C-alpha cells in the first residue's frame, strides 16, 4: 500500500466535494494535510457534503469546506488569503473545478463557450494567480490540475471542454517552465 505523509502541509482543493474532488480531498486529509476544499453551496448536495465532513473529522482529520465560486477571482483570492493568514502557508493547490455539457459544436453559443471556458480554464488560472505569491515566498509548492483525454482525442462531448482542457495543459507547461526552478512543481493528472 502506498503511504503518503503530508503532515504539516496545507492543501486547497477547488471543487472538492463530489466525485474526483471528494476523492482528492479524502486522500489529502488521510495523508495528514490540513485540507480545505471549495464547493458551490448547492443545497442539492448539502447532506452528502455534511456526511463526508463529519466522517473525516470524526476520524481525526483536519478538513474544512468553504463555499466559493471558482469563476469569481475575488472568491478564490479570499479563500487563499484566509488559508495563508491562518496557517502561514499553502503547500498545494488541486484545481478540480470542471463541468462538461456534451453537444455538437454548431449548437454551442458564444455565451455557452465563455461559460464553460470560465469554469474549466479560467477558474484554474484565478487559483494559480492567487496561490503563487505564497508559494514563491516559501520557495516550494505543488499545483495540480485535473486534465482530460479530450486533449488528445477530442472527446468529452463538447468543443469548449476539449479546448479548456488543452488550455490547462498549456498553462501547466508554462508554469513548469517558469516556476520549477523556484521550487513550484506543476502537473496535470
Amino acid at each position: 500500500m502506498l503511504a503518503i505523509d503530508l503532515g504539516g502541509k496545507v492543501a486547497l482543493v477547488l471543487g472538492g466535494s463530489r466525485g474526483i474532488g471528494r476523492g482528492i480531498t479524502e486522500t489529502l486529509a488521510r495523508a495528514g494535510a490540513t485540507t480545505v476544499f471549495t464547493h458551490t453551496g448547492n443545497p442539492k448536495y448539502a447532506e452528502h457534503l455534511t456526511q463526508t465532513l463529519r466522517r473525516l473529522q470524526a476520524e481525526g482529520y483536519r478538513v474544512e469546506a468553504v463555499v466559493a465560486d471558482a469563476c469569481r477571482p475575488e472568491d478564490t483570492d479570499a479563500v487563499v488569503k484566509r488559508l495563508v493568514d491562518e496557517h502561514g502557508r499553502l503547500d498545494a493547490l488541486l484545481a478540480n473545478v470542471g463541468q462538461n455539457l456534451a453537444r455538437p459544436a454548431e449548437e454551442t453559443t458564444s455565451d455557452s463557450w465563455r461559460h464553460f471556458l470560465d469554469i474549466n480554464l479560467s477558474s484554474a488560472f484565478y487559483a494559480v494567480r492567487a496561490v503563487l505569491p505564497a508559494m514563491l515566498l516559501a520557495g516550494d509548492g505543488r499545483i495540480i490540475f485535473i486534465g482530460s483525454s479530450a486533449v488528445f482525442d477530442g472527446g468529452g462531448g463538447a468543443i469548449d471542454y476539449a479546448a479548456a482542457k488543452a488550455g490547462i495543459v498549456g498553462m501547466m507547461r508554462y508554469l513548469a517552465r517558469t516556476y520549477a526552478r523556484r521550487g513550484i512543481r506543476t502537473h496535470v493528472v
Side-chain angles (χ1 to χ4, degrees):
M1 175 162 210
L2 180 64
I4 302 169
D5 181 6
L6 297 177
K9 303 292 185 183
V10 178
L12 172 61
V13 182
L14 287 185
S17 65
R18 298 182 294 123
I20 292 170
R22 187 180 92 199
I24 293 167
T25 295
E26 290 177 351
T27 299
L28 290 169
R30 288 192 169 110
T34 297
T35 306
V36 175
F37 67 92
T38 66
H39 63 99
T40 63
N42 187 334
K44 177 178 166 182
Y45 306 113
E47 185 176 331
H48 173 74
L49 174 72
T50 301
Q51 288 174 359
T52 300
L53 273 172
R54 282 187 184 148
R55 182 175 35 80
L56 288 170
Q57 290 169 346
E59 293 172 17
Y61 301 113
R62 295 177 309 275
V63 62
E64 178 186 351
V66 176
V67 175
D69 182 346
C71 293
R72 291 174 36 93
E74 56 272 18
D75 282 12
T76 301
D77 290 346
V79 171
V80 170
K81 181 181 183 327
R82 186 174 67 84
L83 279 174
V84 173
D85 287 350
E86 286 179 11
H87 301 283
R89 62 188 303 145
L90 180 56
D91 301 288
L93 164 69
L94 291 99
N96 178 60
V97 172
Q99 187 178 24
N100 186 11
L101 177 62
R103 66 210 182 284
E106 67 273 15
E107 293 177 17
T108 302
T109 66
S110 297
D111 286 343
S112 177
W113 171 264
R114 284 188 292 275
H115 173 74
F116 283 98
L117 282 182
D118 209 26
I119 290 170
N120 293 301
L121 180 60
S122 298
S123 66
F125 166 71
Y126 301 145
V128 165
R129 186 177 63 190
V131 304
L132 274 174
M135 289 182 177
L136 287 168
L137 186 62
D140 189 35
R142 304 290 185 278
I143 298 171
I144 301 168
F145 301 110
I146 303 303
S148 171
S149 62
V151 170
F152 307 105
D153 64 14
I159 191 169
D160 44 31
Y161 183 79
K165 290 302 184 175
I168 289 288
V169 172
M171 191 166 22
M172 179 275 300
R173 288 183 176 145
Y174 168 85
L175 292 167
R177 180 182 180 135
T178 306
Y179 296 104
R181 66 181 149 263
R182 296 176 73 184
I184 300 168
R185 275 127 349 251
T186 308
H187 309 277
V188 173
V189 178

